[in-house]
Amino acid sequence: MSGAEKGAPGAFSSGCTCRGIDIHCHVVPARFPALANGVTVRGWPSIVAADACHATVVIDDKPYRTVSDACWVAERRLEEMDRTGVRIQALSPMPELFGYWIETSAACDLVRHVNDSIAAIVTEGEGRFVGLGGVPLQDIDLAILELHRIVGELGFRGVEIGSNINGVTIGDPRFHPFFAEAEKLGAAVFVHAVRPTGMDRLFGPAPLQQVLGYPTDVGLAAASVITGGLLRKFPKLRIAFSHGGGTFASLLPRLEQGYSAFPALGKIMPERPAVQARRLYVDSLVFDADMLRRLVSIFGEERVLLGTDYPFNFRENEPVTRIEEAFADTGLRERLTFGNAQAFLALDEV
């Protein structure tokens, strides 16, 4: 583990008494390097100042998203963390920076730049941040190399991956070598929606991708982990799904019934889907107390993690308060606020 993360749960310069651990927080670098020799690569991002505190990520000459400088300024993040009761943020790439669709060598350069940017913020945070890096999963061997670098050299606690890799769901056996290495290294895996399926079925403006498309794709990714037997093959793998596991909470009862009704499902799933589901982690980002209680009933009191989608506009603004409003039991509140994330990220005492 690198100096950037040694003692990460320990000394905090701000004197913050917060306890929350937010496992769903994104980073956008303040800049992106130009490609060598003026080469143009489709999908390569750039960033253009919008005002004193905001910048626009541009991809293929089109504005992708305007973001605040909290994406790359540690001090801005720390102020908000202190206000909302969050002690530690797990920093991961904005999903559009995974680069799965970019030419492989350029994608590796992009991912390394983003990961190095995360590492710099971790260092600036003096214990308030930990890293979950990206990897170029369109090439399994290169993804494994970068996984070793972020865990072994940068001291990250794990990795963030997409719900699909260029249309291939993460439950596909072709990704088993990567998950085997993550299990071996003890690296947590956080699954975030990216370029979701079904966008042609949505009617309305572009933000519906985040509002409706993301949870749909995450739900299908979680289902693929169950039907593909990923955690039977890698029982020590710690894997969490963003946006409360998306639609998976609604899909699970149907999967259970299908398990009983269709012998073919029993052949691919020796264990009932509901039993396997309680080995998954999900974040708390569902914007609803009743749904949050439902997640606990499905996945268990030790498998739901605080998550906000900070610093983007479509986020949970009061994550600790949301948990406190949903649950009266002090012990359960503590597990959801920080204990479960502490286990997921394999942190020392917080």
Side-chain angles (χ1 to χ4, degrees):
M1 184 173 292
S2 74
E5 295 227 356
K6 288 181 180 178
F12 300 104
S13 60
S14 71
C16 173
T17 59
C18 309
R19 293 285 278 171
I21 302 176
D22 185 353
I23 59 102
H24 187 167
C25 306
H26 295 302
V27 164
V28 176
R31 56 173 293 277
F32 293 98
L35 291 167
N37 301 319
V39 173
T40 299
V41 173
R42 185 168 179 79
W44 187 267
S46 60
I47 197 159
V48 178
D51 58 39
C53 300
H54 295 81
T56 299
V57 179
V58 177
I59 299 175
D60 295 331
D61 298 322
K62 296 179 181 179
Y64 172 73
R65 181 181 293 178
T66 297
V67 298
S68 78
D69 60 1
C71 284
W72 57 84
V73 178
E75 184 177 358
R76 287 283 305 281
R77 307 181 82 101
L78 293 169
E79 291 170 357
E80 182 70 4
M81 290 163 67
D82 290 349
R83 186 191 69 77
T84 58
V86 171
R87 188 168 190 176
I88 295 174
Q89 284 186 346
L91 307 181
S92 57
M94 180 176 75
E96 194 65 18
L97 303 180
F98 289 151
Y100 299 151
W101 39 87
I102 297 177
E103 184 273 321
T104 304
S105 63
C108 290
D109 291 341
L110 174 62
V111 167
R112 286 177 67 92
H113 174 73
V114 174
N115 289 338
D116 289 345
S117 298
I118 291 173
I121 299 175
V122 169
T123 299
E124 290 177 35
E126 297 182 350
R128 299 290 298 277
F129 305 122
V130 296
L132 295 174
V135 293
L137 266 173
Q138 66 268 50
D139 186 306
I140 301 297
D141 292 337
L142 293 177
I144 289 173
L145 285 175
E146 184 63 8
L147 178 66
H148 275 269
R149 188 181 83 91
I150 63 176
V151 172
E153 296 181 24
L154 301 184
F156 286 7
R157 311 309 299 191
V159 62
E160 180 189 41
I161 67 172
S163 51
N164 72 86
I165 292 81
N166 295 326
V168 181
T169 191
I170 61 171
D172 191 293
R174 72 185 71 182
F175 300 117
H176 282 182
F178 174 78
F179 287 119
E181 207 66 20
E183 182 187 54
K184 177 181 176 182
L185 294 173
V189 178
F190 181 59
V191 182
H192 194 288
V194 65
R195 299 198 172 189
T197 189
M199 289 301 297
D200 57 327
R201 300 298 179 91
L202 298 181
F203 179 77
L208 286 178
Q209 174 174 294
Q210 299 174 61
V211 176
L212 301 177
Y214 277 11
T216 300
D217 216 63
V218 170
L220 293 174
S224 79
V225 166
I226 300 297
T227 59
L230 185 67
L231 293 182
R232 293 198 312 275
K233 189 170 183 64
F234 307 110
K236 295 181 180 179
L237 181 70
R238 305 190 308 281
I239 186 168
F241 291 83
S242 61
H243 308 103
T247 57
F248 182 69
S250 297
L251 298 176
L252 184 59
R254 296 184 63 83
L255 200 53
E256 272 286 296
Q257 185 65 23
Y259 176 85
S260 300
F262 300 112
L265 293 185
K267 288 181 180 178
I268 66 169
M269 291 185 288
E271 286 186 298
R272 300 196 70 91
V275 173
Q276 293 189 62
R278 295 178 77 86
R279 299 187 187 126
L280 307 177
Y281 290 89
V282 298
D283 75 13
S284 63
L285 188 56
V286 292
F287 304 112
D288 180 78
D290 287 340
M291 189 62 201
L292 190 52
R293 287 188 284 266
R294 175 70 173 148
L295 294 184
V296 171
S297 72
I298 292 173
F299 297 100
E301 295 185 355
E302 297 181 348
R303 295 288 168 161
V304 179
L305 315 166
L306 187 150
T308 65
D309 220 339
Y310 183 87
F312 300 141
N313 290 335
F314 189 45
R315 70 176 187 262
E316 176 61 79
N317 290 304
E318 301 292 344
V320 175
T321 299
R322 178 80 73 178
I323 289 172
E324 291 175 345
E325 290 175 350
F327 303 99
D329 182 81
T330 301
L332 178 54
R333 287 176 172 180
E334 291 179 348
R335 285 192 290 277
L336 301 182
T337 302
F338 67 89
N340 295 345
Q342 182 179 339
F344 173 67
L345 296 169
L347 295 174
D348 297 331
E349 185 177 353
V350 177

